[in-house]
């Protein structure tokens, strides 16, 4: 079946620190992989995506590389800001008609 | 604003009452999804429409839940005889589907409808 396992939080970092949030998946077929971000009281917003192996998704300084050999899609950012504080969700879609989400990782960045 | 919109944003209801949520997707999107999210968890799939056809339903969608998309545009999610366990955020999302086997379609979420059953 399809599932996503995400690094548990919460994660607390100082401003300008390096961020990694781990995500691994199991899937049938050839999934696409996504990172969504959720700010307090809001819905989810797409952060980045990758649709095939070795693709790198990037946006707003965040990056993630689709690694088929390790079934991973880890999220990274070289220097976090206070405004990056949010909950981050890893997700996969194997046929486009259903998305599977991880449980989310809460990030707090302190000045 | 041309994003996904949901109404109401917040609803408090007494146990046993019925509630209905509405979702207006992005106008050109043919696919519409309902998800449920509880505190500290990721969204859980409830159901999915392609145009007006409801193509998938999760086992989470008990017989107290019904969703419609009568004209292939807006959708409603109704919960009958609400229970305290129904308290959650109900998220609607939409996408422009380009084929059933293409997995790269991005789904765009609304801001959610919070339900509290007291």
């Amino acid at each position: 079946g399809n599932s996503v396992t995400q690094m548990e939080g919460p994660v607390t970092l100082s401003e300008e620190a390096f961020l990694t949030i781990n995500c691994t998946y199991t899937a049938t077929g050839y999934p696409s992989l996504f990172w969504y971000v959720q700010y307090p009281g809001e819905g989810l917003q797409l952060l980045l995506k990758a649709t095939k192996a070795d693709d790198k998704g990037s946006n707003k300084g965040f990056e993630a590389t689709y690694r088929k050999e390790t079934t991973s899609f880890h999220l990274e950012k070289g220097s976090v800001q206070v405004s990056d504080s949010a909950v981050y969700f890893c997700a996969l879609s194997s046929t486009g008609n259903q998305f599977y989400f991880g449980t989310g990782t809460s990030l707090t960045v302190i000045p | 604003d041309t994003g996904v919109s949901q109404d109401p944003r917040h609803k408090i209801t007494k146990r046993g009452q019925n509630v209905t949520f509405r979702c207006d997707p992005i106008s050109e999107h043919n696919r519409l999804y309902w998800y449920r999210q509880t505190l500290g968890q990721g969204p859980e799939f409830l159901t999915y429409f392609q145009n007006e056809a409801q193509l998938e339903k999760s086992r989470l969608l008990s017989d107290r839940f019904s969703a419609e998309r009568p004209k292939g545009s807006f959708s409603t999610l109704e919960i009958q005889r609400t229970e305290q366990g129904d308290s959650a955020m109900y998220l609607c999302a939409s996408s422009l589907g380009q084929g059933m086997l293409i997995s790269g379609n991005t789904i765009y979420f609304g801001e959610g409808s919070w339900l509290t059953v007291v």
Side-chain angles (χ1 to χ4, degrees), chain A residues 23-41:
Chain A
C23 171
T24 57
Y25 68 91
T26 58
T28 55
Y30 302 95
S32 290
L33 301 173
F34 303 80
W35 278 99
Y36 281 82
V37 58
Q38 187 174 35
Y39 298 99

Side-chain angles (χ1 to χ4, degrees), chain B residues 60-95:
Chain B
L60 294 175
L61 212 66
S62 75
D63 57 4
R64 297 185 297 104
F65 288 71
S66 61
E68 294 182 344
R69 195 183 183 197
K71 298 182 180 178
S73 56
F74 74 92
S75 175
T76 58
L77 176 69
E78 182 183 18
I79 308 173
Q80 296 181 326
R81 306 181 304 280
T82 52
E83 301 172 356
Q84 287 187 323
D86 297 331
S87 296
M89 181 161 68
Y90 291 85
L91 290 163
C92 178
S94 70
S95 72

Side-chain angles (χ1 to χ4, degrees), chain B residues 8 42 56 63 68 101 107-108 112:
Chain B
E56 277 192 53
D63 57 4
E68 294 182 344
L101 298 181
I107 60 173
Y108 297 88

Side-chain angles (χ1 to χ4, degrees), chain A residues 32-36 46 48-49 73 89-91 93 99, chain B residues 105-106:
Chain A
S32 290
L33 301 173
F34 303 80
W35 278 99
Y36 281 82
L46 176 69
L48 54 84
K49 73 176 189 181
F73 193 55
F89 292 92
C90 186
S93 171
F99 279 63
Chain B
N105 302 324
T106 299

